[in-house]
Amino acid sequence: MRRSLLPLVYFLLPLTGGGGVGLSSCSEDDISPSANNWLVDFPQGSNTYDTEIKQVYDLYGTQMLYRYNDGMMRWMVTEQLDYVSRPGDEHYVGEAVKFIKDNCFRYYQQDSLRKYLPYRIYLASDLGRLRNYSGLDAAGNNVSIRDTVWHTVAANGYANICFGLASSRITTLSQDSLRLAKGELNAALIANAISSGYIRVPSTFTKEEVSGVNWYDYVGSFNQYGLIEYIDARTMQPAQDFAMFLKYLIAYPTDEFNERFTNKTYDPTGRIARKAAAVRKWMKEEYGIDVEQMAE
């Protein structure tokens, strides 16, 4: 059975052996389960897409929610996820569900999806990443900057993924943006599988790739250290690097990926090319996931 958030139920455990502990007698009528502890009603409506959402739940045990409190999506036990979202526009929930099924679910075996998928997928009209920067600016002054970068496509949280295209924007994206959206969505799914222990990151992806680098100088030269996008060298984890490669390998066919990211200008050290090859091989041989086929 996959994990789920079950309604709170109290159980009476029998006492064994002797001792001075006693229980007052009560009738069976005195024992009853607690009230349903679901945070939301599910399914959330009676539209055609609600029927599809219910079918997804029946197959994989995953709820898709478009009405939710943002605090639910951000909850991380001891902290909050560094993303914020706005609940989905119900006029475009159907398009969002179709995009997820066509550009993500269909690439995986059902048994794999039952493991990889989180308990919930939040369908947001927009998703923003919170960026906090404290340090020196180019002039050597101490600065502290907080910003929210909206229009993020997908992010994985605690037992959830948030998909940020349940809005009119999903109908206006360019072909290139749609490919990147597909890559980011699949990368979020696999990142969730990594955090849940179903997929491992190969040893190729280690923090040693950027260890000992002055983090300020590294900002402008991250590609020389084998990264496709900037990830803070002070806090990066191998899984972040791995997921970033998946995003672009799934978005772009091999020839186009190489043209963009493994040319001598962008990849002077050849690290990106080596790591990209390692990702393709690892996912196909270890988990039967052909990222090249997904990109095509």
Side-chain angles (χ1 to χ4, degrees):
M1 296 273 301
R2 58 178 288 112
R3 66 177 181 275
S4 61
L5 302 182
L6 297 175
L8 181 61
V9 178
Y10 295 102
F11 296 92
L12 290 178
L13 299 179
L15 294 177
T16 59
V21 179
L23 291 176
S24 60
S25 62
C26 59
S27 69
E28 291 185 1
D29 292 336
D30 295 324
I31 304 172
S32 61
S34 63
N36 192 318
N37 196 37
W38 297 111
L39 297 178
V40 294
D41 292 328
F42 182 82
Q44 297 185 298
S46 56
N47 303 287
T48 301
Y49 57 73
D50 288 297
T51 301
E52 294 184 60
I53 286 172
K54 180 61 165 56
Q55 290 171 349
V56 168
Y57 178 76
D58 291 340
L59 275 173
Y60 307 116
T62 295
Q63 292 182 339
M64 290 184 174
L65 303 181
Y66 48 88
R67 300 173 190 160
Y68 63 91
N69 184 310
D70 195 49
M72 295 161 58
M73 186 275 291
R74 300 188 66 202
W75 189 75
M76 296 282 287
V77 184
T78 59
E79 58 185 334
Q80 285 189 313
L81 189 68
D82 56 354
Y83 289 85
V84 291
S85 70
R86 296 165 179 151
D89 182 337
E90 296 186 25
H91 292 96
Y92 296 94
V93 167
E95 282 84 350
V97 172
K98 184 177 188 303
F99 186 93
I100 292 170
K101 293 171 69 175
D102 291 349
N103 294 280
C104 183
F105 288 2
R106 75 183 182 95
Y107 295 117
Y108 307 89
Q109 299 292 330
Q110 284 193 4
D111 288 345
S112 296
L113 270 183
R114 289 189 183 100
K115 294 186 293 185
Y116 298 166
L117 281 170
Y119 178 66
R120 280 180 173 155
I121 297 175
Y122 294 109
L123 303 176
S125 60
D126 206 352
L127 175 64
R129 181 173 184 177
L130 302 176
R131 297 182 65 180
N132 297 314
Y133 170 80
S134 297
L136 301 177
D137 62 13
N141 301 311
N142 285 310
V143 295
S144 181
I145 301 172
R146 293 184 177 182
D147 194 13
T148 302
V149 182
W150 289 99
H151 300 340
T152 301
V153 172
N156 65 300
Y158 183 81
N160 74 69
I161 289 173
C162 187
F163 180 66
L165 282 178
S167 70
S168 60
R169 194 161 66 94
I170 198 171
T171 66
T172 63
L173 292 179
S174 67
Q175 189 64 31
D176 191 66
S177 294
L178 287 170
R179 290 195 297 180
L180 285 171
K182 179 180 78 169
E184 194 165 315
L185 174 60
N186 282 274
L189 173 65
I190 294 174
N192 181 78
I194 291 171
S195 65
S196 301
Y198 294 114
I199 289 179
R200 294 180 296 113
V201 177
S203 59
T204 305
F205 291 79
T206 62
K207 293 182 70 172
E208 283 68 31
E209 287 284 358
V210 291
S211 64
V213 178
N214 180 292
W215 70 268
Y216 182 75
D217 294 336
Y218 158 83
V219 171
S221 57
F222 57 86
N223 52 304
Q224 296 185 35
Y225 297 94
L227 302 181
I228 298 179
E229 283 187 13
Y230 172 72
I231 306 174
D232 193 333
R234 300 169 299 174
T235 59
M236 72 167 288
Q237 297 296 323
Q240 291 176 276
D241 188 13
F242 188 73
M244 192 66 70
F245 268 82
L246 284 166
K247 170 185 172 180
Y248 287 98
L249 287 169
I250 292 171
Y252 297 115
T254 302
D255 289 346
E256 188 169 350
F257 177 90
N258 291 339
E259 182 181 343
R260 288 172 179 256
F261 302 114
T262 66
N263 60 74
K264 291 296 183 181
T265 300
Y266 197 85
D267 186 24
T269 63
R271 286 180 173 177
I272 292 176
R274 293 194 298 272
K275 291 165 75 176
V279 172
R280 294 188 188 103
K281 182 178 180 181
W282 180 261
M283 294 302 295
K284 189 171 184 178
E285 293 183 356
E286 294 291 323
Y287 303 103
I289 298 174
D290 190 335
V291 296
E292 290 183 283
Q293 186 179 49
M294 293 169 71
E296 296 294 343

